[in-house]
Amino acid sequence: MFRKLFLLLFLIALFLKPILAQENFERNINVQVFDKLSNPYIYPWIGGFNHIQVSEIDLNLDGINDLFTFDRAGNKISTFINQGIPSTIAYTFAPQYKDSFPELHDWVLLRDFNCDGKIDIFTYSSGGAAVYKNSSQTQLSFELVTNLIYSDFLPDDGLNNPINLYVSSTYFNLFYFRNLRGISQKFVGRKFWNL
């Protein structure tokens, strides 16, 4: 009888513990965190970065380039506003801007592809690259230009046979995507058809 009662109480306690475990949890991001030399961390609660790609973009449309980070480990966007203090690196974490970006995955690079002075988005898209045009007027916004970039890999054959420009999801050195209009529209001797 004592064994059955003990087993019953044990099972009740076992099942009630997970229910009550986080009963009073409240996230507090105002707690200061210090390094071993007692220097405070500036943004200890924004999360860590594992495999990030960093680009500049004017998030709040004030004419000053801010900071965009994309963590390839988890497809996480983090945005930071440049405080505009001369000769000083001063950014403020601004998570409200991450919702202005479309769904991005695998890799992201922000570059002005159409030379309109607004930073656009290149990102992975099913074996290639998608391009989003910065359509911002009063707030940050983007519109899809193409979900795949096509290129004529035999431009001298006279047939105009554009095919998907393959880009790996795992790694692509994206600094070549610069000023794709006009004179520099050639990319390794190939023409982009849908940009």
Side-chain angles (χ1 to χ4, degrees):
M1 173 79 172
F2 180 70
R3 275 179 90 175
K4 288 182 182 179
L5 181 62
F6 177 75
L7 182 61
L8 179 64
L9 290 174
F10 176 76
L11 290 174
I12 289 172
L14 184 68
F15 288 112
L16 282 179
K17 182 154 178 74
I19 295 171
L20 302 175
Q22 298 296 322
E23 182 178 329
N24 296 321
F25 178 77
E26 184 177 318
R27 183 180 175 130
N28 182 356
I29 62 171
N30 296 319
V31 175
Q32 284 244 302
V33 179
F34 300 91
D35 66 11
K36 63 184 177 182
L37 300 175
S38 298
N39 298 317
Y41 285 111
I42 298 173
Y43 300 113
W45 303 111
I46 64 170
F49 294 123
N50 293 312
H51 191 187
I52 66 168
Q53 295 172 311
V54 179
S55 296
E56 290 183 322
I57 184 171
D58 186 3
L59 297 168
N60 55 359
L61 308 179
D62 65 352
I64 300 172
N65 276 340
D66 304 304
L67 200 61
F68 168 91
T69 65
F70 179 77
D71 195 341
R72 295 178 65 187
N75 299 323
K76 180 184 172 190
I77 295 172
S78 296
T79 53
F80 301 84
I81 296 296
N82 186 338
Q83 295 303 305
I85 302 169
S87 303
T88 304
I89 298 173
Y91 290 94
T92 302
F93 180 56
Q96 67 270 24
Y97 292 100
K98 71 179 182 178
D99 293 332
S100 299
F101 290 88
E103 184 176 332
L104 306 170
H105 59 92
D106 294 303
W107 56 260
V108 174
L109 185 72
L110 304 184
R111 294 288 187 267
D112 182 7
F113 85 91
N114 56 359
C115 301
D116 65 353
K118 297 177 183 177
I119 302 297
D120 307 300
I121 301 173
F122 288 84
T123 189
Y124 179 74
S125 173
S126 187
V131 179
Y132 290 86
K133 177 185 172 191
N134 186 331
S135 57
S136 304
Q137 296 297 322
T138 58
Q139 68 180 24
L140 189 64
S141 63
F142 299 91
E143 60 185 50
L144 181 66
V145 173
T146 182
N147 60 353
L148 284 175
I149 298 174
Y150 291 92
S151 177
D152 185 354
F153 280 93
L154 297 171
D156 299 328
D157 69 357
L159 298 177
N160 289 343
N161 293 319
I163 61 171
N164 174 34
L165 178 68
Y166 175 74
V167 181
S168 171
S169 66
T170 56
Y171 182 76
F172 184 69
N173 199 350
L174 298 166
F175 65 87
Y176 291 108
F177 283 120
R178 290 183 186 225
N179 300 330
L180 297 179
R181 291 278 181 221
I183 296 171
S184 59
Q185 190 168 5
K186 299 285 183 172
F187 177 78
V188 193
R190 312 298 189 246
K191 182 178 184 216
F192 289 114
W193 283 93
N194 52 344
L195 286 182

